[in-house]
Amino acid sequence: MRQRHVFGTVFTVEAAVAGAVFLAVLAVLAVALMRRRPGTGEQPERPRLEAYYVGALAAFAVFLVAWTAGQNHAEHPAAGPKPLRVDVTGFQWCWTFRYPQTPRHRGVTGTCKGTDVPTLVVPTGRTVQLRLTSRDVIHSLWVPGLRYKMDAFPHHVNTFTLTLDRAGRWRGRCAEFCGQRHWTMDFWIKAVPPGEYDRWAHGGTAAA
């Protein structure tokens, strides 16, 4: 899926740049040590060369910030004109998913005890807008298999969009320590074909 591809690309490029900068710094340090003035331990000053070093490092930093911001925008594109909206509320210690665009504003919740784990159902191929908030303390919605993670704050709404291009089921969890049963605060996200989603949204139970 696109978000996994973007994450992999960003990680690879940033790791390569970090490795290159690390090797360059080691090389400069080695040269500086070898060129010390005998008997003094001092390095002759070279303002122009030092300016080149600073300029190169600044260029690397600007490139990483600008490029990563662009990739982040690609991973979280703006929602389309009519995205499917899901209101997500974290609470101690589980989740509630509400669908305000469905008949009767369908909602899914659970206790996150044993097998009572809620499932976030979404249709494939359609933009989904998640609006995150918290009822009590800070939580964090995290789906490791999809590389999605965003915090949920009390009295505040964070929003991001996702589009899943194939059916599947992925485990999600809370990634912010939020109290005694934080470790049980899991959920499922399940992507189903649009027809199956529509049947579920109108009262069916098969999707979950």
Side-chain angles (χ1 to χ4, degrees):
M1 298 183 183
R2 178 171 179 79
Q3 60 271 19
R4 297 184 68 174
H5 172 73
V6 171
F7 177 88
T9 301
V10 170
F11 180 82
T12 301
V13 171
E14 291 187 349
V17 171
V21 171
F22 177 72
L23 292 176
V25 171
L26 284 183
V28 171
L29 178 61
V31 171
L33 291 175
M34 289 187 292
R35 289 185 176 179
R36 283 184 179 177
R37 291 177 178 175
T40 65
E42 296 180 358
Q43 170 73 25
E45 294 185 4
R46 293 184 173 84
R48 182 174 297 179
L49 184 59
E50 292 172 0
Y52 289 152
Y53 296 156
V54 173
L57 291 176
F60 273 123
V62 171
F63 165 76
L64 283 178
V65 171
W67 187 79
T68 302
Q71 293 299 311
N72 185 67
H73 178 75
E75 183 179 359
H76 300 290
K82 291 184 179 179
L84 169 65
R85 174 179 162 182
V86 183
D87 295 334
V88 181
T89 302
F91 62 92
Q92 292 177 315
W93 286 272
C94 207
W95 304 90
T96 296
F97 307 114
R98 297 199 179 278
Y99 298 75
Q101 298 163 327
T102 62
R104 301 181 183 178
H105 294 187
R106 178 156 193 174
V108 177
T109 191
T111 62
C112 292
K113 293 180 179 179
T115 59
D116 187 21
V117 177
T119 297
L120 170 60
V121 180
V122 298
T124 58
R126 183 175 174 185
T127 300
V128 179
Q129 181 187 68
L130 299 184
R131 294 170 54 84
L132 279 68
T133 189
S134 170
R135 187 187 302 170
D136 34 51
V137 299
I138 299 175
H139 301 284
S140 185
L141 182 143
W142 180 37
V143 186
L146 297 179
R147 310 296 195 268
Y148 274 116
K149 181 176 181 290
M150 183 165 283
D151 289 344
F153 297 94
H155 313 297
H156 177 78
V157 176
N158 277 338
T159 302
F160 72 92
T161 61
L162 58 84
T163 304
L164 303 183
D165 54 14
R166 65 178 175 87
R169 190 168 180 250
W170 298 268
R171 190 84 173 191
R173 56 194 58 215
C174 179
E176 184 77 23
F177 181 71
C178 56
Q180 182 180 10
R181 285 205 301 111
H182 159 73
W183 64 277
T184 69
M185 196 170 164
D186 290 356
F187 64 94
W188 291 102
I189 177 169
K190 185 175 183 179
V192 299
E196 183 177 346
Y197 171 79
D198 289 338
R199 290 190 295 273
W200 175 83
H202 286 77
T205 58

